[in-house]
């Protein structure tokens, strides 16, 4: 952790303490009625100056944290040229035994249509055919690319709504699904269709976790792609003619990132995948993914130390084994042609979704600016999909060092490549 990072996170606390100390000394000096020495004046001025330098830059963040605590919600402003409309839709069955898929869709709306208020999660989604009755895309472009989004394990479709809206404001149609574990299990479902829980309490539990994860990631990828098929089938003439249903991007947060990568291993329509800090499962975890790939990792996503891989505590040991396996593959993917990876200091897992804006994370807002990380994730996602879905190369992807302070580029990064090489041996020893 470098000095700038420490200053950003804890500098305001040190600054506040220095200023308070200087104030107390000033009050004591005033009440003592003694003449103030030159040395004391210089010390007080220095204290107020240093304290101000450390504290004042954090005032906007502190005010934002206080405002978020009163009104905890994700940001709604977007930076693109398009007005964004969002709807909940029910994609109806294509066969008698297929369940309805509920999705949320963000899209750039025609200028003459009013924005539609977001329906609450408790509201019944509108049938796709009815949703499409009067939905038109702007006339300023002939083609609009579509992106799929998958949430975290057990998550919901609006988990990254602010990012979906941001991408839609730049001309993308974004469709999100709920995590498949929220769907009712069909009768007679096999044991490894049970909801995924990350159980590292024993070697057997770890093996079951991997098996369920591998099966789930495929099922969830298939669900998202089935939703794409149903949207195309129910789309009106305007959408069918102007949305590129055969060339899509897919991104996801946490387990959703693994879902996106898995979809890219078997469906040719998926041409680019972005993974927001998710462990890889399924075929994508073992080298089967070969398309443009973006991964964003948070501060805690580091290669485990040997003591973690050899820990007598099975929870720590097997989590370390899975983390090491994943990071080795992430580094391989990020260092291929068309691969990109970024490590964001001063962030944690929920920073890569709108979960961070919920009140239960309020303590973190004083130490880690959630808007900063959101702006970073949105910028890299837009640059990546512009480059590989829209075929409009963005220079941001290849800038090294990153123009964002506190972001490490993983491509051709000697430290990360060295850690990946060391981890191969360490993980082999730790899993025995």
């Amino acid at each position: 952790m470098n000095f700038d990072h420490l200053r950003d996170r804890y500098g305001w606390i040190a600054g506040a303490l220095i200023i308070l100390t200087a104030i107390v000394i000033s009050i004591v000096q005033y009440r003592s009625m003694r003449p103030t020495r030159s040395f004391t004046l210089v010390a007080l001025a220095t204290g107020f100056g240093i304290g101000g330098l450390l504290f004042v830059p954090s005032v906007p963040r502190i005010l934002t944290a206080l405002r978020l605590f009163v009104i905890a919600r994700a940001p709604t402003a977007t930076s693109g040229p398009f007005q964004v409309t969002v709807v909940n839709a029910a994609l109806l069955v294509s066969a008698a035994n297929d369940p309805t898929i509920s999705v949320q869709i963000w899209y750039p709306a025609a200028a003459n249509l009013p924005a539609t208020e977001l329906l609450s999660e408790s509201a019944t989604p509108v049938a796709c055919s009815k949703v499409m009755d009067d939905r038109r895309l702007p006339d300023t472009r002939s083609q609009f690319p579509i992106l799929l989004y998958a949430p975290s394990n057990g998550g919901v479709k609006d988990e990254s709504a602010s990012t979906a809206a941001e991408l839609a404001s730049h001309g993308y149609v974004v469709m999100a699904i709920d995590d498949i574990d929220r769907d009712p299990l069909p009768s007679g479902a096999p044991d490894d269709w049970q909801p995924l829980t990350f159980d590292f309490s024993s070697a057997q539990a770890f093996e079951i976790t991997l098996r369920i994860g591998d099966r789930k990631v495929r099922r969830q990828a298939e669900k998202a792609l089935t939703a794409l098929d149903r949207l195309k089938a129910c789309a009106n003439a305007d959408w069918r003619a102007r949305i590129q249903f055969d060339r899509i991007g897919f991104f996801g947060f946490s387990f959703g990132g693994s879902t996106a990568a898995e979809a890219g291993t078997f469906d040719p329509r998926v041409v680019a995948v972005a993974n927001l800090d998710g462990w890889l499962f399924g075929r994508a975890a073992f080298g089967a993914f070969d398309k443009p790939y973006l991964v964003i990792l948070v501060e805690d996503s580091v290669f485990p130390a040997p003591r973690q891989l050899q820990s007598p505590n099975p929870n720590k040991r097997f989590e370390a084994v899975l983390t090491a396996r994943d990071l080795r593959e992430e580094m391989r993917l990020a260092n291929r042609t068309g691969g990109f990876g970024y490590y964001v200091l001063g962030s944690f897992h929920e920073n890569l979704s709108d979960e961070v804006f919920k009140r239960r994370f309020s303590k973190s807002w004083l130490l880690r600016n959630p808007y900063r990380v959101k702006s970073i994730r949105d910028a890299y996602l837009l640059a990546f999909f512009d480059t590989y879905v829209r075929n409009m190369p963005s220079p941001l992807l290849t800038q090294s060092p990153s123009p964002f302070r506190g972001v490490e580029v993983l491509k051709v990064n000697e430290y990360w490549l060295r850690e990946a090489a060391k981890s191969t041996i360490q993980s082999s020893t730790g899993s025995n």
Side-chain angles (χ1 to χ4, degrees):
M1 192 178 292
N2 58 35
F3 173 76
D4 288 340
H5 185 42
L6 287 171
R7 182 189 61 196
D8 285 347
R9 184 179 293 186
Y10 302 112
W12 70 274
I13 300 176
L17 291 174
I18 292 171
I19 291 172
L20 287 174
T21 300
I23 291 173
V24 170
I25 292 173
S26 299
I27 293 172
V28 171
Q29 182 67 33
Y30 174 77
R31 296 186 66 178
S32 69
M33 304 298 291
R34 296 176 183 175
T36 305
R37 297 181 180 181
S38 299
F39 174 79
T40 303
L41 289 174
V42 171
L44 288 173
T46 302
F48 281 116
I50 294 174
L53 288 173
L54 291 171
F55 181 79
V56 171
S58 298
V59 169
R61 187 201 316 173
I62 294 169
L63 293 176
T64 297
L66 293 173
R67 178 173 60 81
L68 282 172
F69 187 78
V70 176
I71 308 174
R73 66 180 182 185
T76 56
T78 56
S79 66
F82 294 106
Q83 173 182 287
V84 177
T85 298
V86 57
V87 293
N88 279 346
L91 303 178
L92 303 180
V93 298
S94 56
N97 59 344
D98 288 341
T100 297
I101 301 176
S102 295
V103 298
Q104 201 160 88
I105 303 170
W106 295 258
Y107 67 96
N112 60 339
L113 290 179
T116 302
E117 290 295 327
L118 178 63
L119 299 176
S120 68
E121 284 301 308
S122 60
T124 302
V126 180
C128 181
S129 57
K130 293 183 179 179
V131 168
M132 286 293 156
D133 282 347
D134 59 353
R135 306 292 171 182
R136 289 191 56 81
L137 298 166
D139 295 328
T140 52
R141 287 185 184 174
S142 60
Q143 292 289 304
F144 290 86
I146 188 167
L147 306 176
L148 301 182
Y149 174 79
S152 61
N153 187 45
V156 293
K157 49 187 174 285
D158 66 346
E159 189 176 71
S160 295
S162 68
T163 292
E166 173 67 14
L167 293 169
S169 78
H170 288 272
Y172 289 92
V173 175
V174 183
M175 181 171 69
I177 61 170
D178 287 326
D179 182 81
I180 200 167
D181 283 348
R182 303 179 74 88
D183 301 340
L185 277 175
S187 58
D191 289 343
D192 52 7
W193 279 32
Q194 297 304 311
L196 174 62
T197 57
F198 294 103
D199 186 352
F200 304 129
S201 60
S202 67
Q204 182 181 13
F206 182 45
E207 182 181 347
I208 292 172
T209 294
L210 294 180
R211 186 170 68 248
I212 293 176
D214 290 343
R215 178 64 70 90
K216 175 182 174 177
V217 79
R218 177 74 181 209
R219 292 169 50 227
Q220 182 147 286
E222 291 173 348
K223 172 184 175 178
L225 294 165
T226 298
L228 180 68
D229 293 335
R230 295 187 188 179
L231 178 64
K232 182 178 180 180
C234 77
N236 59 34
D238 182 52
W239 282 45
R240 282 197 301 271
R242 302 173 64 200
I243 292 180
Q244 298 170 293
F245 285 100
D246 60 346
R247 182 180 176 81
I248 70 168
F250 200 152
F251 70 109
F253 166 58
S254 195
F255 190 82
S258 182
T259 300
E262 185 68 12
T265 67
F266 67 88
D267 195 307
R269 293 174 295 180
V270 180
V271 299
V273 163
N275 178 2
L276 302 179
D277 201 43
W279 280 325
L280 292 172
F281 288 88
R283 298 179 68 236
F286 297 98
F289 185 85
D290 61 356
K291 297 174 181 177
Y293 183 76
L294 165 72
V295 62
I296 300 179
L297 302 175
V298 296
E299 187 173 301
D300 292 339
S301 297
V302 294
F303 282 100
R307 67 178 182 277
Q308 294 170 295
L309 292 163
Q310 300 168 14
S311 172
N313 183 329
N315 285 291
K316 293 181 179 179
R317 183 170 71 252
F318 290 118
E319 182 175 359
V321 169
L322 181 56
T323 298
R325 184 192 84 172
D326 179 72
L327 289 178
R328 288 195 303 272
E329 184 62 13
E330 301 291 2
M331 284 300 297
R332 187 191 73 80
L333 291 169
N335 281 276
R336 300 169 309 130
T337 301
F340 303 91
Y342 306 95
Y343 174 72
V344 185
L345 290 165
S347 64
F348 59 99
H349 190 57
E350 286 75 15
N351 272 126
L352 297 185
S353 75
D354 288 350
E355 291 295 295
V356 72
F357 294 102
K358 293 183 177 179
R359 191 169 282 110
R360 61 194 176 97
F361 292 104
S362 58
K363 291 181 181 178
S364 72
W365 300 333
L366 292 171
L367 300 179
R368 304 175 183 184
N369 185 348
Y371 287 97
R372 167 184 167 268
V373 182
K374 172 181 158 46
S375 68
I376 292 169
R377 85 187 188 221
D378 290 357
Y380 277 118
L381 284 170
L382 180 61
F384 178 70
F385 288 127
D386 276 354
T387 300
Y388 290 103
V389 177
R390 190 174 272 161
N391 290 322
M392 295 173 54
S394 170
L396 175 61
L397 291 178
T398 55
Q399 288 187 47
S400 184
S402 170
F404 298 104
R405 189 158 55 96
V407 175
E408 292 184 18
V409 177
L410 300 184
K411 186 181 277 294
V412 199
N413 185 308
E414 292 185 6
Y415 170 78
W416 281 84
L417 289 171
R418 186 168 60 250
E419 289 298 303
K422 286 166 51 179
S423 173
T424 303
I425 301 173
Q426 294 170 351
S427 291
S428 176
T429 302
S431 60
N432 290 334

